[in-house]
Amino acid sequence: MILTDAEQAMLDGAEGPAKQKAMDLLVRYAEALGADRFVDTSNVAGVPGSSSLFVHNYFKARGDASYEAIFSLFDLDADEVVPVPRMRANSCHLQGGMDPVLWREQGMSEEALDHQMQDEAELERHGVKVLKTCTPYLAGNTPRFGDHCAWMESSAVVYCNSVIGARTNTEGRESTSAAMLTGKIPDWGFHQDDFRRGTHHIEVEVPVDSVFDWGMLGYFIGGEVQENIPVVTGHLSSPGVIRHKHFGAAAASSGGVELYHMVGITPEAPSLDAAFGGRRPVQALRYGEAERRATYEALNSNGTSTDVDYVMLGCPHAALEQIEEAARLLEGKRISANSNLWIFTSRLIRIQADAKGLTRILQDAGALVMTDTCSAIAQSIPKGTRVVALDSAKQAHYLPAIMGIEAWFGTTQNCIDAALTGRWTGALS
Ligand code: F3S
């Protein structure tokens, strides 16, 4: 590793033991990657020092479950507990494990709530913005083009790289916590120009316009290219933030896509040649009607009963426009007594939804607007759920496996209809 004088000083302990441990961890990480230097980062998104009740009790049984103990021993992989100073980098906390208001409905305990509140007080004390969302770019953390970031959360990483043109690998708890303290992350992977060139060319031959279709396209592409970098051309309407977030989240779920290019749309793809950096694609694929239908069928492959007892919206966390859409579809109506509708978003968007009267409309219809988490992360669904309806390909990929339930995937309108009637009637048009 080639370290600057300041980095070497941190590694030698000149800025205290926590930064010394953080640099030690980052040097080991960089060496494992094969990186020979660090880049400065001033935008880190992780879960620093946070713990579920399970993790908290694990450390408690070993004698010290303080925030500093969990940060030292778990996040920094240290062999002793050290005082943790305020974070150096601009740092935010991603999604958590429970809604701070509707925790009872999620089946959480008061003890878990108390623990979460203590964690949040520590986060504030250490200078971490408690955004509690998988969409930090909708909630006050939007990097600039070219910024070096260190983010966790696959759906946020792919958005950060592809739509904004900022640079991050998919980091983990340990590397983000160490980056928050030091402002450093290995100069490897997506931080480097060479790594960001497209590898696979996908020509889209059917119109892709709705959020539903963008999710399916992302799911198809992720499954095909896995961890490579797709370059997409063809019948694409210019996607806004919501379509990008559904596309990217899906591609990061069926595969491990961390960066995509859309020619004429995303910032590093002004032309096909630029997207591939002058290289030839290793593979060319097409997305036509047969691929669209096969993707729809794959996403609906475990649905058998059309009796839907749960509808979940907001994966990735809903934008205000998506809450507006749900409120418009539900205003003056009442969801079925046989079904539940939970909509997940960030705290910031929830405040806006409250101010616009949207939360009230949704509550009057029998829906709940929840923040901070989602059913997959919290492993929380309404009691007795057997069949869920989803408008997110990512959630359709994960939730049935996590919770052992059946799932249907369709449009937001299909899902709202299922909430109103208790029955799934979605079909591919
Ligand atoms: Fe967010 Fe949960 Fe989906 S954290 S991306 S809503 S799986």
Side-chain angles (χ1 to χ4, degrees):
M1 286 293 292
I2 303 163
L3 299 182
T4 64
D5 289 348
E7 289 163 355
Q8 186 64 55
M10 265 195 281
L11 185 60
D12 292 342
E15 294 194 35
K19 291 186 186 177
Q20 189 273 322
K21 305 282 185 201
M23 279 304 287
D24 178 65
L25 181 141
L26 288 169
V27 166
R28 284 186 280 141
Y29 175 42
E31 285 174 350
L33 292 171
D36 62 3
R37 66 191 70 226
F38 291 115
V39 287
D40 292 329
T41 178
S42 60
N43 192 320
V44 188
V47 291
S50 278
S51 58
S52 64
L53 209 49
F54 176 82
V55 171
H56 178 78
N57 288 336
Y58 172 87
F59 281 95
K60 197 169 167 185
R62 280 152 185 76
D64 188 352
S66 64
Y67 183 83
E68 302 213 318
I70 291 174
F71 197 101
S72 302
L73 304 175
F74 190 179
D75 293 46
L76 296 184
D77 188 33
D79 51 10
E80 60 178 328
V81 178
V82 294
V84 180
R86 278 180 75 83
M87 303 305 171
R88 165 173 286 171
N90 169 32
S91 303
C92 76
H93 192 293
L94 295 163
Q95 68 269 17
M98 61 192 290
D99 185 301
V101 178
L102 298 171
W103 52 274
R104 279 195 192 83
E105 287 77 356
Q106 292 180 341
M108 306 298 174
S109 68
E110 199 154 358
E111 186 188 9
L113 177 72
D114 288 346
H115 173 59
Q116 174 168 291
M117 292 299 108
Q118 285 166 20
D119 262 0
E120 288 192 15
E122 292 288 354
L123 291 165
E124 297 285 1
R125 195 166 72 79
H126 288 85
V128 178
K129 298 179 181 76
V130 185
L131 302 186
K132 287 284 175 91
T133 181
C134 50
T135 57
Y137 48 89
L138 293 178
N141 183 357
T142 312
R144 295 168 307 168
F145 179 84
D147 279 354
H148 291 286
C149 301
W151 283 19
M152 291 173 66
E153 170 49 42
S154 63
S155 69
V157 164
V158 68
Y159 189 96
C160 181
N161 276 319
S162 313
V163 184
I164 298 173
R167 297 176 170 223
T168 181
N169 296 303
T170 304
E171 299 293 347
R173 174 192 183 107
E174 297 82 357
S175 59
T176 50
S177 292
M180 286 179 188
L181 278 178
T182 60
K184 306 288 177 182
I185 199 75
D187 184 9
W188 181 85
F190 291 104
H191 293 286
Q192 301 187 338
D193 290 345
D194 203 43
F195 208 84
R196 300 177 67 84
R197 313 295 187 213
T199 58
H200 290 58
H201 184 189
I202 290 86
E203 175 70 13
V204 177
E205 297 176 349
V206 287
V208 174
D209 190 15
S210 64
V211 172
F212 165 72
D213 263 304
W214 276 102
M216 287 204 294
L217 178 61
Y219 198 77
F220 167 79
I221 290 175
E224 292 294 326
V225 309
Q226 292 297 306
E227 293 183 343
N228 290 293
I229 301 174
V231 177
V232 191
T233 55
H235 274 271
L236 306 170
S237 62
S238 185
V241 170
I242 295 166
R243 285 159 176 75
H244 272 299
K245 85 177 165 77
H246 278 256
F247 172 88
S253 302
S254 55
V257 174
E258 296 167 86
L259 168 66
Y260 59 83
H261 299 300
M262 291 178 184
V263 176
I265 294 174
T266 55
E268 292 169 78
S271 67
L272 193 61
D273 197 45
F276 282 108
R279 296 181 196 144
R280 291 172 63 83
V282 297
Q283 192 179 2
L285 299 156
R286 62 184 288 277
Y287 181 76
E289 199 45 62
E291 289 77 14
R292 179 175 180 260
R293 178 161 294 281
T295 304
Y296 180 80
E297 286 170 2
L299 283 164
N300 282 290
S301 59
N302 101 327
T304 55
S305 168
T306 54
D307 293 334
V308 172
D309 32 36
Y310 176 38
V311 177
M312 188 207 130
L313 304 178
C315 172
H317 278 172
L320 186 63
E321 293 85 344
Q322 293 177 290
I323 297 180
E324 278 173 337
E325 181 187 11
R328 183 172 49 74
L329 294 171
L330 282 164
E331 187 160 21
K333 299 175 182 160
R334 185 81 197 159
I335 66 170
S336 164
N338 299 325
S339 193
N340 294 277
L341 171 56
W342 291 0
I343 304 173
F344 291 89
T345 191
S346 65
R347 294 178 182 190
L348 187 82
I349 301 289
R350 163 77 196 241
I351 290 168
Q352 294 169 313
D354 290 355
K356 287 173 75 84
L358 304 173
T359 310
R360 171 55 54 198
I361 292 170
L362 291 164
Q363 284 171 343
D364 287 349
L368 295 177
V369 180
M370 296 180 165
T371 68
D372 291 24
T373 190
C374 72
S375 283
I377 291 290
Q379 299 188 17
S380 166
I381 54 179
K383 208 168 173 198
T385 294
R386 291 171 298 110
V387 182
V388 65
L390 304 159
D391 70 349
S392 161
K394 173 173 179 172
Q395 196 73 203
H397 183 83
Y398 287 119
L399 195 61
I402 291 172
M403 301 306 293
I405 57 177
E406 293 180 24
W408 295 105
F409 166 78
T411 65
T412 305
Q413 176 81 61
N414 292 156
C415 291
I416 297 281
D417 288 348
L420 288 169
T421 63
R423 293 191 67 78
W424 182 253
T425 55
L428 189 64
S429 58

